[in-house]
Amino acid sequence: MPAKIIDGKAFAATVRAQVAEHVTKLKDAHGITPGLAVVLVGEDPASQVYVRSKGKQTVEVGMKSVEHKLDAETSEADLLKVIDDLNNDPEIHGILVQLPLPKHLDEDLVINSIAPEKDVDGFHISNVGLLGTGQKSMVPCTPLGCLMMLRDHHGSLSGLDAVVIGRSNIVGKPMAQLLLGDSCTVTIAHSRTKDLADVVRRADIVVAAVGRPEMVPGDWIKPGATVIDVGINRLDAPEKGDGKTKLVGDVHYESCAAVAGAITPVPGGVGPMTIACLLANTVTACCRANGLPEPEGLTA
Ligand SMILES: NC(=O)C1=CN([C@@H]2O[C@H](COP(=O)(O)OP(=O)(O)OC[C@H]3O[C@@H](n4cnc5c(N)ncnc54)[C@H](OP(=O)(O)O)[C@@H]3O)[C@@H](O)[C@H]2O)C=CC1
Ligand SMILES: Nc1nc(=O)c2c([nH]1)NC[C@@H]1CN(c3ccc(C(=O)N[C@@H](CCC(=O)O)C(=O)O)cc3)C=[N+]21
Ligand SMILES: [Mg+2]
């Protein structure tokens, strides 16, 4: 039987509808509008597309959207000043600094300068520590989106073998924490892992977050396993015409879909869920800032 395709685009639309409903409540009952600020340093075209689509969706769910575009040579002091102003702005409940930053800027320092309660990416050391100790935190958007799709598909994840390929601070590590929190037996694989194929073959759940186009072939997948493809790789697609490109994930979709029980496509899988979870985190942050009840089912 071919795999069930987990439709992240449709799922994200339902998450955004829940966010929009909660935003309306906040406005009508309390006169509060959640606000999200996105800070982009430099002119990476891919980041610009992504920032634009976040801004558009933020407005569509009824929230305030602010974009700070700083040039690539911005000094650390100037960037920290922008963040400090946003930390102190009562109309801003969420702050996202688009990564990666230009090399002259210290990413850890910059991220840790965001007020933890406004850190809707969940990258601040304080949120990382809270998540790792099972306390209420801001949960990173991409892993949260993956978790929502996994819970929806499986019901309970308890006791399942999960393999996360990739150990980055923004995807792999927090993903592993969330799976552990849902009582999976978790393995984190990376570039030094021996016999990756054998490790992946044991998994009921495979999350691929590597950044290598189509590197996971179908013959690594246990029949019936769930495959979550986080990878976003833009490749040239001369077959579509001159200068055209296409997006592919970190798994080889066709061969994996032939053996998996369920799989997320690229595009239309994890990506849209990431943005929806960013909006969800912003509403959650706004509710916490105002001592109001949080939307249910929109965090881990
Ligand atoms: N859909 C979405 O919303 C998002 C998608 N992404 C995408 O997810 C992917 C991963 O992103 P990110 O976590 O930031 O990437 P990083 O480059 O930060 O991390 C990649 C990880 O993959 C590991 N890795 C590299 N090569 C191999 C290999 N041959 N075998 C096993 N492991 C390997 C690395 O291991 P080591 O640590 O040993 O070097 C590292 O831990 C990218 O394609 C990115 O574009 C990212 C964020 C959001
Ligand atoms: N501070 C920070 N937080 C992030 O969450 C963050 C970041 N920096 N830097 C870059 C990565 C990447 N990322 C994506 C989110 C959505 C899509 C997405 O919506 N993708 C669509 C396709 C978009 C297209 O066509 O290009 C899809 O998969 O269907 C992709 C990638 C978030 N990131
Ligand atoms: Mg990275």
Side-chain angles (χ1 to χ4, degrees), residues 177-212:
Q177 290 287 9
L178 289 176
L179 292 165
L180 188 60
D182 270 27
S183 299
C184 291
T185 303
V186 182
T187 303
I188 306 177
H190 47 76
S191 69
R192 305 297 178 89
T193 296
K194 278 187 285 172
D195 301 325
L196 183 60
D198 287 345
V199 171
V200 173
R201 278 190 192 109
R202 296 199 293 262
D204 303 306
I205 293 170
V206 180
V207 180
V210 189
R212 290 179 176 256

Side-chain angles (χ1 to χ4, degrees), residues 1-296:
M1 229 189 16
K4 179 196 162 184
I5 298 168
I6 299 176
D7 186 345
K9 197 174 166 196
F11 200 139
T14 71
V15 171
R16 288 198 303 275
Q18 287 170 267
V19 170
E21 199 182 310
H22 213 85
V23 169
T24 302
K25 257 199 279 183
L26 284 171
K27 282 186 187 167
D28 292 351
H30 305 283
I32 299 168
T33 302
L36 172 65
V38 174
V39 180
L40 177 62
V41 186
E43 316 211 328
D44 177 38
S47 291
Q48 283 180 341
V49 174
Y50 173 51
V51 168
R52 212 176 306 131
S53 98
K54 279 189 281 208
K56 185 167 158 272
Q57 295 185 31
T58 304
V59 172
E60 277 168 7
V61 296
M63 305 199 293
K64 174 180 157 130
S65 166
V66 176
E67 284 171 25
H68 287 268
K69 294 194 177 153
L70 311 178
D71 72 52
E73 278 78 48
T74 300
S75 71
E76 200 159 83
D78 286 349
L79 176 56
L80 293 177
K81 172 78 171 76
V82 169
I83 293 171
D84 191 51
D85 288 346
L86 293 169
N87 284 343
N88 291 308
D89 184 339
E91 291 191 5
I92 295 298
H93 305 93
I95 302 170
L96 178 148
V97 177
Q98 182 76 13
L99 300 178
L101 288 170
K103 279 182 223 16
H104 67 285
L105 299 168
D106 179 342
E107 255 174 28
D108 289 333
L109 180 85
V110 169
I111 286 165
N112 292 328
S113 76
I114 299 170
E117 62 278 10
K118 295 192 181 189
D119 167 38
V120 282
D121 260 330
F123 296 163
H124 189 288
I125 44 167
S126 162
N127 283 314
V128 176
L130 291 168
L131 178 62
T133 51
Q135 302 178 70
K136 194 156 113 172
S137 65
M138 278 289 139
V139 178
C141 306
T142 299
L144 179 58
C146 295
L147 184 73
M148 285 181 184
M149 292 190 284
L150 284 167
R151 284 178 174 168
D152 183 67
H153 179 69
H154 285 271
S156 168
L157 307 182
S158 182
L160 296 178
D161 283 317
V163 171
V164 179
I165 318 175
R167 55 172 160 179
S168 72
N169 291 337
I170 75 168
V171 187
K173 281 186 218 165
M175 184 75 248
Q177 290 287 9
L178 289 176
L179 292 165
L180 188 60
D182 270 27
S183 299
C184 291
T185 303
V186 182
T187 303
I188 306 177
H190 47 76
S191 69
R192 305 297 178 89
T193 296
K194 278 187 285 172
D195 301 325
L196 183 60
D198 287 345
V199 171
V200 173
R201 278 190 192 109
R202 296 199 293 262
D204 303 306
I205 293 170
V206 180
V207 180
V210 189
R212 290 179 176 256
E214 302 179 323
M215 86 155 243
V216 177
D219 71 355
W220 291 10
I221 303 299
K222 177 159 90 176
T226 301
V227 177
I228 305 289
D229 190 353
V230 179
I232 301 275
N233 306 289
R234 190 166 287 284
L235 302 184
D236 290 334
E239 72 276 10
K240 283 172 46 181
D242 237 17
K244 295 277 189 197
T245 63
K246 61 174 179 182
L247 281 191
V248 302
D250 288 343
V251 311
H252 185 268
Y253 184 80
E254 272 193 1
S255 61
C256 288
V259 277
I263 188 166
T264 61
V266 177
V270 175
M273 283 299 285
T274 296
I275 302 186
C277 288
L278 174 67
L279 305 178
N281 278 350
T282 305
V283 178
T284 299
C286 178
C287 291
R288 289 179 188 173
N290 288 283
L292 295 167
E294 296 171 26
E296 270 168 51

